[in-house]
């Protein structure tokens, strides 16, 4: 199967997501599609699998040209996509999900036997009667892949498949993909923003930048060339430079945060029995797969999820079971992962955000906006713009500028998710500044590389429990990955303990 | 089309569509469409008496409309306005029947106390729904609806039980209050101007609160994103209770004005569907404070004018209710189904 994307143009209002992109995907190969967040990779793949209609250009599949595809037509041609976030039905069972979607719905018996067949062929282990809600991200990926393989997909598109899975699970996935293309008739298109993954897996890569094709390379490719195509020469130089080492704690005096046998009850999960001390100047990273308990810890430390047992003291105040306002008064600030959904007021102006965040100084809101938002955080919007008009990077800049200066404990859930390289660098610079000034920063990132590069200490979570507390010296991606997926325990590996 | 003209064009299109559907419904009901509309307009505004009746209906509608703007500002669907009116009427009646017009306090003070009691009654009833929402996780639609029935039951029990007329209980209500305890009337008609003045003041006050104060901004924040409001320490639960309380007090005041200014006694179903009609009026004004008085006036004319339908055209007066509902639904649909509307890309 050969697929050619020819002069594809796709617009969203003013934004040109794909600007005259042409790409050839050959059978028997794994093609990488690289680029920064927002470069247009996912859009292009959605055009290819029929979820979006392009404004111009055509899709040529085995010589037959199509002006656009529908999801049905794409499936009939053998094009299938594994989306970034699983598009399944969590309350339904594994075999029910397998039976649904793409072609005729299978009967219970058909679905079970075909699921078993495809699982044994690919080496997956999926129990048919388990609700999908109970599966890990990796298992949900396997289910989706099993469904696509069963429907005889020939072009498999994967959108950031390694976010939320461990290094070991990643190796398994890559082996499956290599086996998939080995017969020379099928092919894979892999969307990623991680160069290392592309180097490891892909036979050829195409790079998108600001919606345009910025270059294509065949393996083995030169890292510097690819980076330059992705970011432009200037940023590429800094991107390859190692980040500055994480700051040392300012001293082991009074901890900012002290938790003993703390139990946190979040909406969905209960985090058991956490004991922990964090000192001023520390940057602590939380590692764990989605739902492992690290999000619950952040929300519990912010006072949004309730502490139902144990002790919790922040800045010397006892806060277990207290309302969120007491946490704010103690100098805690929480940056949510879903910036718009949990952090901002979509229909209110930026100025109103400043008024709400600094109610005592609301008469000086304009001055604060000019000084903090524009001056310090380089927000490029006008004060009367509505929050829902902000780009992802500017949303985070606004949220950063609303953090009070006297914050002692800054909690951040995936602070850089979906942002471009410049914004990410700005966020880490700011966090390091805060830490140097005596605040403690606790953050969770799904990107293990980022986590290990930025954190001075890593707490690993597995199955709603704190599995390990690793000092910077004993950080190793393999170990952290095994701990966060429960493949090993801290004791078995002689992992570090609290300093 | 310029940016400024766009909302006007949209409103005109929506009104035209609603008018067309209304005419269609009238035709289908076998009524002469234009004559029917003329009869209703005439019945609502045709004479001084009609205008006063319309004003009497406009007063509780505007009060409840202003009240609902406060709860809508915090994204609350306060369906319980009917019950809050009823409770206000009960508290006012209870306070006024205990007053002694001959001696004790001056009548003006008695009346002021009666109206204050009505506001308190509505406030209590609304806070009940509010606390069920913030502490019991019961949505205010269900608690409001339930409490409407409870309030109606309480008023019936009082009318037929403890507060019944001497001799025998009557569905026509309790004994009429002493004339000294009526709100001062206008030109000998059974209509007081105190009510409309209070209603306009309440409306202006609510508009000021929502548009000009920090409290109004925090309500908007709670509506936009309760989670983010929690994160900033704005205590959404407390704001919700405050909004419910203000709304209940204004609705209760409407009930008090109905007792002291119009009926001069407690009657069954004293809320007269004003609570529900006010929801329609706020929806018709679609969140615009400026358009709210016009929407309330429009519904007051429809309500009062429809009384003429059986007399002049042998039509059932419930047709007015049908028209109100159809109008609001069509306006909402027309806003979405506008021709040449640009759909947003996913």
């Amino acid at each position: 199967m050969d697929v050619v994307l020819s002069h594809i143009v796709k617009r969203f209002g003013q934004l040109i997501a794909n600007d005259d992109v042409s790409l050839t995907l050959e059978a028997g190969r794994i093609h990488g599609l690289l680029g920064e967040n927002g470069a247009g990779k996912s859009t292009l793949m959605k055009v290819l699998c029929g979820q979006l209609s392009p404004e111009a250009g055509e899709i040529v599949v085995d010589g037959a040209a199509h002006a656009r595809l529908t999801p049905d037509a794409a499936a009939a041609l053998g094009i299938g996509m594994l989306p970034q976030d699983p598009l399944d039905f969590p309350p339904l069972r594994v075999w029910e999900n397998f039976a649904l979607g793409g072609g005729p719905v299978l009967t219970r018996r058909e679905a079970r036997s075909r699921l078993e067949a495809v699982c044994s062929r690919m080496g997956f282990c999926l129990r048919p009667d388990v609700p999908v809600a109970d599966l890990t991200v990796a298992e949900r990926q396997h289910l989706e892949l099993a469904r696509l393989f069963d429907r005889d997909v020939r072009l498999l598109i994967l959108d950031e498949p390694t976010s939320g899975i461990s290094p070991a699970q990643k190796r398994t996935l890559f082996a499956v993909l290599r086996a998939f293309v080995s017969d020379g008739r099928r092919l894979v298109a892999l969307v990623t923003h991680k160069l290392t993954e592309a180097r490891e897996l892909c036979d050829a890569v195409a790079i998108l930048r600001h919606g345009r094709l910025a270059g294509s390379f065949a393996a083995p490719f030169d890292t510097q060339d690819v980076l330059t195509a992705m970011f432009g020469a200037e940023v590429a130089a800094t991107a390859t430079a190692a980040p500055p080492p994480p700051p040392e704690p300012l001293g082991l005096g009074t901890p900012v945060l002290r938790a003993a046998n703390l139990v946190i009850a979040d909406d969905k999960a209960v985090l058991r029995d956490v004991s922990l001390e964090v000192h001023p100047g520390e940057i602590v990273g939380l590692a764990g797969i989605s739902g492992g308990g690290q999000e619950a810890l952040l929300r519990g430390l912010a006072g949004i999820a309730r502490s139902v047992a144990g002790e919790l003291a922040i800045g010397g105040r006892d806060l277990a079971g207290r309302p969120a306002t007491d946490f704010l008064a103690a100098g805690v600030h929480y940056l949510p992962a879903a910036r718009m959904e949990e952090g901002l007021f979509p229909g209110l102006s930026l100025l109103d955000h400043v008024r709400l965040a600094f109610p005592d100084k609301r008469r000086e809101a304009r001055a604060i906006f000019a000084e903090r938002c524009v001056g310090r955080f380089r927000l490029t919007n006008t004060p009367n713009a509505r929050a829902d008009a902000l780009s992802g990077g500017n949303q985070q800049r606004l949220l950063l500028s609303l953090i009070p200066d006297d914050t002692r404990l800054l909690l951040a859930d995936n602070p850089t998710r979906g942002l471009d390289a410049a914004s990410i660098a700005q966020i880490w610079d700011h966090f390091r500044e805060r830490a140097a000034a005596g605040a403690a920063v606790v953050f969770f990132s799904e990107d293990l590389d980022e986590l290990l590069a930025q954190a001075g200490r890593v707490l690993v979570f597995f199955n709603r429990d704190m599995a390990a507390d690793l000092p910077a010296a004993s950080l190793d991606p393999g170990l952290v990955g095994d701990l966060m997926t429960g493949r090993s325990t801290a004791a078995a590996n002689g992992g570090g303990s609290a300093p | 089309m310029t940016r400024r003209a766009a909302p006007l064009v949209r409103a005109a299109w929506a009104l035209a569509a609603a008018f067309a559907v209304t005419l269609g419904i009238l035709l289908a009901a076998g009524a002469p469409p234009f004559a029917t509309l003329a009869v209703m307009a005439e019945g609502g505004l045709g004479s001084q008496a009609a205008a006063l009746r319309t004003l009497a209906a406009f007063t509780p509608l505007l009060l409840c409309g202003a009240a609902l703007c406060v709860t809508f500002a915090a994204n609350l669907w306060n369906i319980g306005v009917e019950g809050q009116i009823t409770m206000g009427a009960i508290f006012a009646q209870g306070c006024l029947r205990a007053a002694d017009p001959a001696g004790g306090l001056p009548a003006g003070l008695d009346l002021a106390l009666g109206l204050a009691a009505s506001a308190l009654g509505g406030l209590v009833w609304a806070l009940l729904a509010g606390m069920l929402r913030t502490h019991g996780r019961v949505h205010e639609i269900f608690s409001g609806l339930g409490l409407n029935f409870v309030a109606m039951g309480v008023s019936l029990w009082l009318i037929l039980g403890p507060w019944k007329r001497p001799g025998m209980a009557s569905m026509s209500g309790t004994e009429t209050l002493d004339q000294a305890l009526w709100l001062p009337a206008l030109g000998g008609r059974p209509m007081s101007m105190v009510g409309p003045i209070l209603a306009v003041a309440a409306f202006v006050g609510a508009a000021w609160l929502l548009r000009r104060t920090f409290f109004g901004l925090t309500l908007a924040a709670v509506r936009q994103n309760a989670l983010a409001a929690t994160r900033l320490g704005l205590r959404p639960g407390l704001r919700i209770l405050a909004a419910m309380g203000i709304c209940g007090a204004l609705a209760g005041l409407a009930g008090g004005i109905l007792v002291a200014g119009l009926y001069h006694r407690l009657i069954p179903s004293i809320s007269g569907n004003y609570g529900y009609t006010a929801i329609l009026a706020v929806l018709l004004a679609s969140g615009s404070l400026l358009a709210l008085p016009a929407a309330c006036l429009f519904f007051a004319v429809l309500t009062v004018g429809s009384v003429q339908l059986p007399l002049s055209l042998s039509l059932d007066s419930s047709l007015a209710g049908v028209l109100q509902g159809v109008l609001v639904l069509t306006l909402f649909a027309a806003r979405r189904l506008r021709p040449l509307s640009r759909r947003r890309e996913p």
Side-chain angles (χ1 to χ4, degrees), chain A residues 238-463:
Chain A
T238 51
T240 42
E248 292 291 315
L250 294 177
L252 295 175
T254 349
V256 179
L257 159 70
R258 197 177 55 74
N261 305 107
L262 186 67
V263 179
I264 292 166
D266 203 358
D267 285 346
K268 289 179 198 158
V270 175
L271 178 64
R272 292 180 295 259
D273 206 19
V274 176
S275 296
L276 159 79
E277 282 190 359
V278 177
H279 291 88
E282 271 195 293
I283 295 184
V284 180
L286 308 181
I289 51 178
S290 173
Q294 63 283 1
E295 301 103 328
L297 177 68
L298 286 176
R299 293 164 56 84
L301 294 182
I304 295 168
R306 278 189 88 77
S307 311
V308 290
E311 291 166 34
L312 173 61
I314 295 173
R317 298 193 209 191
D318 190 15
L319 291 176
R322 306 289 307 162
T325 42
D326 287 10
F327 284 75
L328 285 170
V332 179
H333 197 92
Y334 171 63
L335 278 179
R339 292 172 205 121
M340 191 55 86
E341 292 75 13
E342 292 182 38
L344 298 174
F345 308 102
L348 295 187
S349 71
L350 308 189
L351 211 52
D352 280 340
H353 281 77
V354 174
R355 291 190 181 109
L356 288 164
F358 304 107
D360 303 335
K361 294 187 235 158
R362 60 180 183 270
R363 308 219 172 276
E364 304 141 42
R366 274 181 191 278
I368 295 175
F369 183 84
E371 187 260 319
R372 289 183 81 89
C373 308
V374 179
R376 207 178 323 165
F377 291 96
R378 302 196 295 281
L379 194 64
T380 47
N381 303 73
T382 60
N384 293 322
R386 280 167 41 137
D388 53 8
L390 296 181
S391 69
N394 281 338
Q395 288 171 20
Q396 192 66 299
R397 280 184 198 103
L398 176 61
L399 283 170
L400 288 178
S401 62
L402 298 182
I403 302 174
D405 287 332
D406 56 2
T407 298
R408 291 172 172 181
L409 177 60
L410 180 58
L411 307 162
D413 188 351
N414 276 298
T416 61
R417 183 195 275 167
L419 301 185
D420 58 57
S423 306
I424 291 175
Q426 187 188 1
I427 288 166
W428 287 118
D429 285 346
H430 180 68
F431 284 3
R432 274 193 289 270
E433 254 171 55
R434 290 245 175 208
V441 178
V442 179
F443 75 99
F444 164 50
S445 173
E446 277 168 356
D447 185 338
L448 200 52
D449 298 333
E450 177 184 51
L451 189 90
L452 298 178
Q454 304 294 348
R457 173 182 161 200
V458 172
L459 311 180
V460 188
F461 287 79
F462 170 65
N463 199 17

Side-chain angles (χ1 to χ4, degrees), chain A residues 145-293:
Chain A
L145 286 174
R147 201 173 58 77
L148 291 169
F149 291 155
D150 178 68
R151 308 295 151 100
D152 199 24
V153 62
R154 289 181 296 151
L155 165 55
L156 177 62
I157 305 167
L158 300 109
D159 194 352
E160 304 281 4
T162 58
S163 52
I165 68 174
S166 74
Q169 288 165 334
K170 189 172 91 175
R171 282 194 293 278
T172 314
L173 176 69
F174 284 5
V176 166
L177 296 181
R178 275 204 200 85
F180 177 74
V181 296
S182 61
D183 70 349
R185 293 188 299 116
R186 295 181 289 205
L187 65 152
V188 166
L190 173 81
V191 175
T192 182
H193 67 278
K194 294 180 189 163
L195 182 56
T196 47
E197 279 176 13
R199 288 180 64 90
E200 207 177 324
L201 188 67
C202 297
D203 303 306
V205 292
I207 286 119
L208 283 185
R209 183 160 181 241
H210 302 320
R212 289 167 174 273
L213 192 67
S216 35
F217 304 90
F221 24 78
D222 180 70
T223 307
Q224 199 57 44
D225 289 350
V226 174
L227 279 173
T228 306
M230 278 174 80
F231 301 108
E234 204 173 300
V235 183
T238 51
T240 42
E248 292 291 315
L250 294 177
L252 295 175
T254 349
V256 179
L257 159 70
R258 197 177 55 74
N261 305 107
L262 186 67
V263 179
I264 292 166
D266 203 358
D267 285 346
K268 289 179 198 158
V270 175
L271 178 64
R272 292 180 295 259
D273 206 19
V274 176
S275 296
L276 159 79
E277 282 190 359
V278 177
H279 291 88
E282 271 195 293
I283 295 184
V284 180
L286 308 181
I289 51 178
S290 173

Side-chain angles (χ1 to χ4, degrees), chain B residues 79-102:
Chain B
I79 305 293
V81 176
E82 281 282 303
Q84 289 146 24
I85 298 173
T86 307
M87 262 309 144
I90 289 172
F91 270 56
Q93 173 75 15
C95 185
L96 291 176
R97 73 194 293 278
D100 177 7

Side-chain angles (χ1 to χ4, degrees), chain B residues 120-144:
Chain B
L120 180 70
L123 181 135
V124 167
W125 215 237
L127 278 186
L128 211 56
M131 287 172 74
L132 280 167
R133 158 79 188 259
T134 54
H135 292 76
R137 296 201 180 185
V138 179
H139 197 281
E140 68 275 5
I141 288 182
F142 304 119
S143 57

